[in-house]
Amino acid sequence: MTTPAAPPLADRETWQKQLDELRLREKAHTREGDAIAAARRRLPMVEVDPTTRLVGADGPVPLLDVLEGRTQLFASYHMWHTGRPAADQCEGCTFFTGQVLELSYLHSRDVTFAVFCQGPFEESSRYRDFMGWQAPWYSVPAESLDPLVAGRAFGMKACYLRQGDRVFETYWTTGRGCEAMAPSYGLLDMTVYGRQEDWENSPEGWPQRFRTDGDQFRLDGRPTSQWSRLAAGRDDDLGTTGHADSEHHCHCGSTPTES
């Protein structure tokens, strides 16, 4: 393999001077993020029927109960390809869902995190078990699509507020808005080669091996994170019939021009 290009060499004083100049931009970026979050907290909200049904491990459950008694809910709407094997499941949703590992900090702020999957519970929950995810998992039945998805698409993330027995949607996002769920991207953005995706503004000779059509979340024909599960001996059989549904298009992790 060809050795990739690298930054020019400098002494530490010169390097630190340029880093200090960049830090001013980083701090401005952070403050702008704070201002956007403040504006987000001041948005109005829309009421959602609290009896809207989801399907969990113990059967049907109303949306109100999904909050587990907390006042807030972050719902990750996970795309599903019914009837397809694990290798064909949504690489973007797998990428984002799989990075939400520690829930205690959310719980300490009275926030429940849950995955709302597009597919049938039995089939999709086998995928959850194969991946080893611990977050609460629910299936969204057909009759609940209108009140919950409301003409949008799976791959989106939505936030809810409970007041007594009433539930309100306060925010939703999709595409690159989902990147807040992915600390891997934040870490990669700090490395010299970045995400190594073909849209990035990188110097000549920088590695850019990944496309942004889902390729960035796959390796050797599977969602990247599945390989470690297979190496550990986990069973990826979803009990599928082999009859795939119609084609879906994931709305999480879109390219920068689509955000």
Side-chain angles (χ1 to χ4, degrees):
M1 295 180 62
T2 304
T3 301
L9 188 62
D11 59 78
R12 180 164 291 274
E13 183 179 358
T14 300
W15 173 77
Q16 187 62 50
K17 182 177 183 296
Q18 293 191 34
L19 182 56
D20 289 343
E21 292 171 354
L22 179 63
R23 193 77 75 212
L24 296 176
R25 297 176 60 188
E26 289 179 337
K27 289 182 177 181
H29 177 73
T30 298
R31 287 192 292 270
E32 177 61 14
D34 291 342
I36 291 171
R40 189 181 294 119
R41 291 192 292 271
R42 288 164 172 79
L43 290 171
M45 59 187 182
V46 61
E47 191 159 11
V48 181
D49 183 354
T51 67
T52 302
R53 188 172 70 97
L54 295 107
V55 179
D58 297 323
V61 58
L63 175 63
L64 184 66
D65 289 357
V66 171
L67 279 90
E68 299 178 343
R70 300 185 180 92
T71 58
Q72 297 181 82
L73 168 68
F74 186 107
S76 179
Y77 283 78
H78 191 107
M79 177 176 287
W80 188 256
H81 304 312
T82 302
R84 297 186 189 178
D88 291 343
Q89 294 306 323
C90 179
E91 60 281 338
C93 292
T94 298
F95 174 74
F96 289 107
T97 298
Q99 298 199 46
V100 182
L101 302 177
E102 181 56 67
L103 302 180
S104 63
Y105 297 100
L106 295 175
H107 294 171
S108 73
R109 270 68 172 181
D110 212 26
V111 177
T112 294
F113 176 88
V115 177
F116 288 4
C117 192
Q118 185 176 16
F121 180 81
E122 182 178 1
E123 182 180 309
S124 65
S125 65
R126 288 190 183 189
Y127 188 67
R128 172 185 180 260
D129 294 342
F130 163 58
M131 296 302 297
W133 296 331
Q134 299 299 311
W137 188 275
Y138 300 91
S139 175
V140 181
E143 64 269 22
S144 299
L145 290 176
D146 283 345
L148 291 178
V149 181
R152 295 166 293 184
F154 281 82
M156 73 173 188
K157 316 304 171 188
C159 299
Y160 300 89
L161 174 68
R162 178 179 66 84
Q163 292 186 326
D165 291 336
R166 300 173 71 186
V167 177
F168 307 85
E169 185 175 348
T170 62
Y171 179 74
W172 76 279
T173 190
T174 191
R176 294 195 69 194
C178 302
E179 288 184 6
M181 293 179 64
S184 292
Y185 266 165
L187 297 175
L188 287 170
D189 285 344
M190 287 191 278
T191 67
V192 67
Y193 292 134
R195 305 181 188 190
Q196 302 174 45
E197 296 176 3
D198 58 12
W199 65 270
E200 289 178 287
N201 181 359
S202 295
E204 186 70 27
W206 256 232
Q208 292 184 302
R209 56 175 294 203
F210 297 101
R211 304 185 308 274
T212 51
D213 57 1
D215 174 67
Q216 73 270 43
F217 304 131
R218 285 185 169 268
L219 189 65
D220 297 331
R222 280 181 175 267
T224 304
S225 56
Q226 290 187 7
W227 288 109
S228 61
R229 278 70 174 178
L230 292 170
R234 293 184 186 171
D235 185 1
D236 70 345
D237 180 12
L238 306 182
T240 56
T241 62
H243 298 292
D245 60 357
S246 58
E247 184 178 1
H248 291 284
H249 297 282
C250 187
H251 290 262
C252 55
S254 60
T255 64
T257 55
E258 295 171 339
S259 62

